[in-house]
Every structure is written in C-alpha cells, then in structure tokens.
Amino acid sequence: MAEQSAFRGGTEARPAATVMLLRPARAGAERSGAGAAGTGRVPAAGRDMEVLLMRRVRSMGFAPGAYVFPGGIVDQRDADGDLPWTGPSPAEWARVLGTDVPMARALVCAAVRETFEETGVLLASGPEAAGAPAITLDTATEEWERDRRGLVDRSHSFTEVLSRRGLVVRSEWLRAWSRWVTPRVQSRRFDTWFFAAELPPGQESRNVGGEADLTRWTDPARVAAENAAGRMPMLPPTVVSCAELAACRTLEGVREARRDIVPIEPDVRDVDGQTRIVTPDGAHYPLPKPDATP
C-alpha cells in the first residue's frame, strides 16, 4: 500500500465538546425520524443500548449531511467560575481531560450546554438531588424553550439560566471518552473532547437546535455497516466512537470502560491514488468532502 501525506499547513484548532447520549434500547422504538425520540418499553438492564446521532443540514459549513453527536465549540462564558456544579471538581476534570482548570470547567459546561441547545436534554438537577440518581426534569415547556433559545442566540449565559432556576450541572453524569483533533489540512479545525452520558429518566431528545434535519437513536454496533453502505455518512471520530461503544456492549460496560484521554490527530494522505483520512493506528477512511474532515 503506497501512502504519502497529501497536504501540509493548517490553522489553530478551536476547543469543542461533544456528547454521546446513550439510552437502553427500546423495543419497537422508531429508529429514525425528524426529531422522533421513539417510544416503547425500556428493556431490562444488561440488554443492548442506543446512541443518539444527528444528521447535519446540508447548508452547514462543516460536515454537511454527516451524522454527528450533539456538541459544539466552547463559548468564552463556559469557563465561568460561578457555574453551579456537583460531581468531580474542575481540578479533577482537568487531570482527566489533560487541560488546565479553566479549560476543564469550560469543556464540561460546553458539553452540557450544547447537548441542551441541540436536543433539549439537560444534564442538571436541583442541588438537593446531588448524589442521587437522575431525576425527571421537563424541559419541553415554553419557559424552558425561551431559555434554550436564549442560549442559542447567546443572549443568556448557561450560568445565568441554571442559577435562576436553582439547578446545578451534574458533572458526574458525564464520562470522559476521547479527544480528536481535526487534520491540519482543514481550514476549520476543532480540538474536540468526547463525553458519554446516559439519557436522564423522564427526559426525551428533541430536534430543536436547527443544525440537524434528522435525529436517530441507533444501535452503535450497526453504525459501521450503515456508514460503509453510504446510508449514514459520518466522519472517522464518529465511526470509531460508535465501534468503541459497541465493544462495551451495555451501558454498564460503558460506565466501567477505562479511557486514556490523549489527542488523536488523523492525517490526510494519498493511499493508492485515493485521498483518505488516516488515523494514527493506520486505519483509513474516505474523505467525505474537502470541507468536512473531522
């Protein structure tokens, strides 16, 4: 196999966070639809699981038409030290994520905020419930929608919204998973920390962010085949992350997985006459579009 690097150069990668939202598989659930979360019986613990994927609208400048996890870039206000918080401290998160304390705080905040902005799922609760299992929180009301829209247009800060409602970020519901950096060839580059989190009981995802035209709860073990067949175009970090989730088999397996958070930066190379995205382990993937590399 002949390989050579196809490009050189690049711009600085912007910090970002994304969340692999998980739930137990639901018997008879709708597996795809324009924002449909699906209905049906929740199977007993130990069965299979589903991950939420969103198809980006084709007008997006980055990864148009690709299936992604909810997430986005870090906002300057995400590092606010007044953010209500439970679970591991920002200093503990800094050690796990390999960052300084302000960046760790910002990444956790961005992960929770972006998930809420794009899906309506909020990884927060009242402080009296800290340390307890996830509780039901209805974020589908008009009042919550006004707050969510205020976050999207940046007229509200996440700290402001949570403090006014007396809620705290439940950082213990997040599980650090990986870190991917966009290849240097790309003009739009992101340094993205991936997290896993379980859908809190009583909450349902909604397609509300405006950046996706379809959401889909999917068995992560099916993603590789769907991607290879062209039915679910996606970027390598999404394909690899779904394969890693599938290897865990269950939600319990995800909770117990040991993860080392180190930057993974693919390269773009010519492989046997074709432009491919090549990960550090030597695996290579087709380049979806010149402006859509992870």
Side-chain angles (χ1 to χ4, degrees), residues 71-143:
I73 61 172
V74 169
D75 183 91
Q76 184 176 358
R77 294 180 293 182
D78 288 333
D80 188 345
D82 294 328
L83 179 71
W85 187 295
T86 68
S89 68
E92 291 175 282
W93 275 109
R95 287 191 291 273
V96 171
L97 300 175
T99 68
D100 59 24
V101 171
M103 179 56 70
R105 181 186 291 114
L107 287 167
V108 170
C109 178
V112 177
R113 175 183 55 76
E114 286 282 345
T115 299
F116 177 57
E117 288 182 14
E118 296 188 358
T119 72
V121 172
L122 184 59
L123 302 173
S125 74
E128 70 282 355
I135 60 172
T136 299
L137 187 64
D138 182 7
T139 63
T141 66
E142 181 54 37
E143 288 184 356

Side-chain angles (χ1 to χ4, degrees), residues 193-256:
W193 279 258
F194 284 60
F195 298 85
E198 295 176 34
L199 180 70
Q203 295 195 43
E204 295 290 352
S205 64
R206 296 176 288 125
N207 188 2
V208 291
E211 295 183 359
D213 59 11
L214 182 144
T215 61
R216 178 174 177 178
W217 285 100
T218 305
D219 179 352
R222 299 177 55 189
V223 166
E226 292 290 290
N227 174 249
R231 291 187 290 269
M232 293 186 73
M234 59 185 64
L235 305 171
T238 313
V239 179
V240 171
S241 297
C242 285
E244 292 170 342
L245 292 174
C248 294
R249 299 178 61 86
T250 64
L251 292 174
E252 185 65 27
V254 172
R255 296 182 204 120
E256 295 178 351

